[in-house]
Amino acid sequence: MIHASRIHVLVQQMQEFSIAWVAEDGSIVRVPRCRCTSFHGSGETLNILIPVSGQVRTVNRNTIIEFNGEEVIL
């Protein structure tokens, strides 16, 4: 298990990672391969780049449920 407060440290150490989070509508979004482009609000949100589509998404750290196949807890 990974604590959500460690996410910003982990993504800075990795070129690419997989991530899953709960979207605003309650659905689970899974991205098997992405990169972090920036952090905002003292690490509360992060922008990720999805190389396959070129899309940039903003993710709230507290909505992340999985990081590199490991469960994320609050």
Side-chain angles (χ1 to χ4, degrees):
M1 281 189 263
I2 299 170
H3 195 275
S5 64
R6 295 205 51 229
I7 295 293
H8 72 283
V9 174
L10 294 172
V11 299
Q12 290 177 12
Q13 297 171 351
M14 303 178 155
Q15 282 275 328
E16 291 187 341
F17 52 90
S18 65
I19 192 170
W21 70 90
V22 179
E24 286 183 21
D25 65 1
S27 65
I28 295 176
V29 179
R30 294 185 186 281
V31 178
R33 197 175 124 234
C34 62
R35 293 190 313 249
C36 180
T37 60
S38 62
F39 280 102
H40 302 282
S42 300
E44 288 298 316
T45 61
L46 59 142
N47 287 339
I48 60 168
L49 171 67
I50 304 168
V52 174
S53 65
Q55 182 182 29
V56 175
R57 299 283 304 260
T58 299
V59 181
N60 183 308
R61 181 181 68 185
N62 295 324
T63 64
I64 299 171
I65 58 171
E66 188 176 292
F67 183 84
N68 275 348
E70 289 191 56
E71 180 182 5
V72 175
I73 59 172
L74 293 176

